Amino acid sequence: MPVLRIKHVTTYRYAQPVRFAEHRLMCRPRDSHDLRLLDTGISISPPAAMRWVHDVFSNSVLVTSFADEANELVFTSTVLAEHYPSEPDVDLIEDYARTLPFSYDAIEMPDLARSAERHYRDPENRVDAWVRKVRRELATDDTLKVLVGITGAIKSEFAYAARDEEGTQTPIETLDLGSGSCRDFALFMMEAVRSLGLAARFVSGYLYDESLIGAGGGVIGGGATHAWVQVYLPGAGWVPFDPTNAIIGGRNLLRVAVARDPAQAAPLSGSYIGPAGAYLGMSVQVDVTVEAGGGEVAEPLQKD
C-alpha cells in the first residue's frame, strides 16, 4: 500500500499587524479501514492556543485562538498515512436499490433525510431538466449507470476552472457559467442526485496522482485540496464519485471532512480584527508525495 506524505500550508497576509479572532482548521484525514494515520503535525505562526473537537459529522476540527498581533498568519499541517485503496463494493448494492426510483429503508431514512433534500433554490427546475436530459441519453434506470453517467456528463459538459476565492457557486451559477472548480462540481452533483431522491454529501480532502506509484495517467487537482461527492447506496454504503475527474471510488481520494453542505467543510475559516483594507490575500500550497522503496520519496506533485 502507498505511504503518503502531505504538507498543506495556508498563508494569510496583511498590510499591517492585526489581531486574529478564532480560526477553525480541518486538516486531519479521517482514519478508516482504507486509511491509517501514522503521524500528524501542526504548526501555526504567530503561536496559538489549540484544542481539537469533533463536529456534528465527527470530523476532527482544530480550534485556535491568538494573543499576538502579526501581519502574516501561517498554518502548516503535515500528515503521514498508509492508504489501502480499493474499488467500491457496488456489486453489494441491495436488489431493491439497483434501479430508480427506490426508497431507503425506513430505519435509515431519518438519518439520511437531510442529505437527500435539495438545499438550493431552483425555481425553474433547471437542475432537474439537466438530469432528465442525461437520463434520456443513457436510456436506463439502472442506479449505478445513472450515477456514473451524471459523473461523466459533468466532466464532459463543464470546463474546469480553479478558483482561489472563498465560497461555492450555486448549481444554477454553474449551469449558467458552464464552468467551475471541484467544489462547484461536487455541489452541482449533490443537488443533481438529490433530485432523484438519493442521499448525497460533500467531501473535502486531498487527491493524489497514482502515476507516482506506477499506475499511469494523471488527474486534475492532484496535489491540491479537492472536493467530491459520496452517494449512499444501500448495501454498498457511501460510494465516492468525483465529477471533476469522472472517477468512481476512492483510490486517489483522501477524506478530511464530510458534510451535508460545502460551507460545513471549509478547510480553514476565521477572521481578523483590524482595518478593512489591511487584508492583502491568501495562498495555499499543498504537496503530496509517495514514499518509494528503500526509503526514497518521489517528487512532489505539481499544483494546479
Side-chain angles (χ1 to χ4, degrees), residues 130 134 146-158 189 242-243 245-248:
W130 184 89
V134 172
V146 170
L147 290 172
V148 172
I150 289 173
T151 307
I154 295 172
K155 164 71 172 175
S156 63
E157 295 183 20
F158 297 94
M189 182 168 180
D242 176 6
N245 295 289
I247 294 174
I248 314 303

Side-chain angles (χ1 to χ4, degrees), residues 16-144:
Q16 63 189 71
V18 298
R19 289 189 295 138
F20 302 105
E22 181 179 274
H23 281 62
R24 298 170 67 89
L25 176 68
M26 290 186 179
C27 59
R28 180 187 174 93
R30 293 173 64 108
D31 301 79
S32 187
H33 56 273
D34 61 347
L35 184 71
R36 183 166 73 95
L37 297 186
L38 303 176
D39 191 27
T40 63
I42 183 76
S43 66
I44 303 172
S45 177
M50 297 182 283
R51 61 186 177 90
W52 288 95
V53 299
H54 285 109
D55 68 7
V56 68
F57 304 105
S58 294
N59 300 309
S60 292
V61 182
L62 180 64
V63 182
T64 63
S65 56
F66 301 86
D68 299 333
E69 295 185 353
N71 59 4
E72 187 174 79
L73 177 61
V74 183
F75 295 84
T76 302
S77 167
T78 57
V79 174
L80 182 67
E82 286 182 333
H83 192 210
Y84 301 82
S86 62
E87 298 303 321
D89 293 325
V90 292
D91 291 340
L92 300 179
I93 297 174
E94 298 284 357
D95 289 341
Y96 74 86
R98 289 183 178 274
T99 57
L100 296 169
F102 69 86
S103 298
Y104 289 112
D105 190 285
I107 198 170
E108 294 181 325
M109 193 56 197
D111 300 301
L112 296 172
R114 288 293 284 139
S115 295
E117 293 176 357
R118 298 282 291 275
H119 286 32
Y120 290 79
R121 282 178 46 80
D122 184 11
E124 298 177 352
N125 299 315
R126 293 179 60 193
V127 174
D128 305 72
W130 184 89
V131 173
R132 287 195 298 271
K133 175 183 71 71
V134 172
R135 292 187 67 181
R136 283 196 302 271
E137 294 171 353
L138 294 171
T140 181
D141 290 326
D142 182 279
T143 302
L144 185 60

Side-chain angles (χ1 to χ4, degrees), residues 154-174:
I154 295 172
K155 164 71 172 175
S156 63
E157 295 183 20
F158 297 94
Y160 176 76
R163 292 192 299 109
D164 292 331
E165 60 268 26
E166 297 179 0
T168 307
Q169 294 172 181
T170 68
I172 299 305
E173 288 173 330
T174 298

Side-chain angles (χ1 to χ4, degrees), residues 184-224:
D184 302 322
F185 294 158
L187 175 57
F188 183 84
M189 182 168 180
M190 285 169 59
E191 290 292 278
V193 302
R194 284 169 174 170
S195 75
L196 301 174
L198 301 179
R201 61 188 186 185
F202 184 89
V203 190
S204 66
Y206 303 106
L207 170 68
Y208 71 91
D209 189 336
E210 275 193 318
S211 66
L212 289 181
I213 53 175
V219 288
I220 295 172

